[in-house]
Each structure stands twice: as structure tokens, then as C-alpha cells.
Amino acid sequence: MINAESGGDAIGDLRGRIEQAEGRLASLNAQSSAYRSLRRQIGRASAQLREQEKAAERRAAQVRDARLFSLAPSGVVILAGWGSWTGVLVGLGIGLFGVWIADRLPDHFYRSGLGG
């Protein structure tokens, strides 16, 4: 049966499994029950792949939005501190820290509603 494993490589792993199954499918008789069974598995795996790709796209968009949102306090500090290097550097540090945090937030944070 074709299953995806959890983790960062799940999409690539599932694609590989679908390609292998399609290769095996070509060698089977189209009238056999093994052919029909494998064809159903490929269909289910393809649907699962589409769902995972959509989820990955949503996650990427949500991370991008969180990164942009984290830059707002940075801009305020930079504008307030304009004229002094300390204020500008602190603002840049806040922005970089916010982006760093946004990249490391767990998936459940984004599923709970941030970013859509």
C-alpha cells in the first residue's frame, strides 16, 4: 500500500512511491485485480499528495505573513530611533529576531488561525 511518512520529506517520498507504483502498473495486465487494486492505491496517494502540497503552500504563505508582521515593531523602533545608530541597530535586531521566530513556530500555531 502507498503511504506517506510524516516529516519534511513526506511529499517527496510520496511522489517517489507514486512513480514506483506507476512503473509497476505498466507491467500488469489491465484486466487483473492486482492492476485495479494498484490503480486505486495510486488514486488515493495522488489525492493525498495534492492535499499535502496545498498544506505546504498554505504553511509557506502563513510563514511569509508572520515574517512580514514581525517586521512592524522593527519599523517603529527604527523610525523612533532614527538619527542614532543604536536605535536603528536595535530595530534591525528586533526585525531579524521576529523573522527567526516566525520560521521556527510549530505547525499547530499556524493551524490555530494565524494567517488564515
Side-chain angles (χ1 to χ4, degrees), residues 2 4-5 10 12-13 17 19-21 32 40 44 55 60 67 70 74 78 82 91 95 102 104 106 111 114:
I2 303 170
E5 297 172 9
D13 182 48
R17 289 176 189 227
E19 288 174 8
Q20 287 176 351
S32 70
R40 282 191 299 272
R44 285 191 298 267
R67 291 172 115 197
S70 72
S74 170
I78 289 173
W82 197 255
R104 283 153 184 81
R111 282 194 300 266
L114 178 71

Side-chain angles (χ1 to χ4, degrees), residues 2-115:
I2 303 170
N3 289 324
E5 297 172 9
S6 61
D9 296 328
I11 291 175
D13 182 48
L14 187 55
R15 280 186 188 136
R17 289 176 189 227
I18 290 171
E19 288 174 8
Q20 287 176 351
E22 287 173 341
R24 286 192 318 258
L25 190 66
S27 67
L28 294 174
N29 180 2
Q31 304 301 321
S32 70
S33 63
Y35 179 91
R36 289 189 299 272
S37 175
L38 188 56
R39 190 75 194 146
R40 282 191 299 272
Q41 289 177 18
I42 291 171
R44 285 191 298 267
S46 296
Q48 186 178 8
L49 177 62
R50 284 189 297 275
E51 287 178 21
Q52 288 181 6
E53 287 173 337
K54 286 179 186 177
E57 289 173 8
R58 279 193 307 273
R59 164 73 181 189
Q62 290 168 340
V63 169
R64 184 197 64 234
D65 293 346
R67 291 172 115 197
L68 290 173
F69 181 73
S70 72
L71 293 177
S74 170
V76 170
V77 172
I78 289 173
L79 287 176
W82 197 255
S84 76
W85 281 104
T86 305
V88 172
L89 291 176
V90 167
L92 289 174
I94 290 171
L96 291 174
F97 182 70
V99 168
W100 182 80
I101 291 293
D103 286 343
R104 283 153 184 81
L105 289 173
D107 287 339
H108 67 82
F109 182 81
Y110 292 102
R111 282 194 300 266
S112 67
L114 178 71

